[in-house]
Amino acid sequence: MGTYRGSAQLETADDSEWQVRDMTVRIRTDRATGVVSWEGRLELADADVRTALGESAEAVLRLPDGAGANVRVQPDGAFTGTAI
């Protein structure tokens, strides 16, 4: 479907919202199932964001155009998820 590089908003399980300054995501649609998957990497230079995510956390990632996905973010910033 496409790729995006830029800023995004991360909403953690405790309803905290964090601005991510730089991220890259590849968005693909499975033709057989119609499921839209997201895969990419967040720049986690902001110590507060790293602390909010903990070891490995589920969150909602939103792009500036409003598109979003439920994602699982690893400590190194790598994430995978499914569009909502």
Side-chain angles (χ1 to χ4, degrees):
M1 194 165 162
T3 59
Y4 169 78
R5 181 175 179 138
S7 64
Q9 183 172 326
L10 191 68
E11 301 166 6
T12 58
D14 66 357
D15 293 326
S16 298
E17 295 180 355
W18 303 90
Q19 189 65 30
V20 177
R21 290 182 217 114
D22 189 34
M23 54 94 58
T24 303
V25 62
R26 182 174 178 194
I27 302 171
R28 295 184 286 184
T29 302
D30 183 297
R31 291 183 185 187
T33 64
V35 172
V36 179
S37 63
W38 289 32
E39 181 178 287
R41 182 169 300 278
L42 303 174
E43 177 56 52
L44 296 180
D46 186 336
D48 290 334
V49 175
R50 285 197 310 273
T51 299
L53 287 170
E55 286 299 310
S56 178
E58 292 182 11
V60 174
L61 185 61
R62 293 201 186 277
L63 301 183
D65 69 359
N70 290 316
V71 297
R72 183 149 188 90
V73 183
Q74 301 301 318
D76 66 356
F79 69 86
T80 57
T82 304
I84 50 176

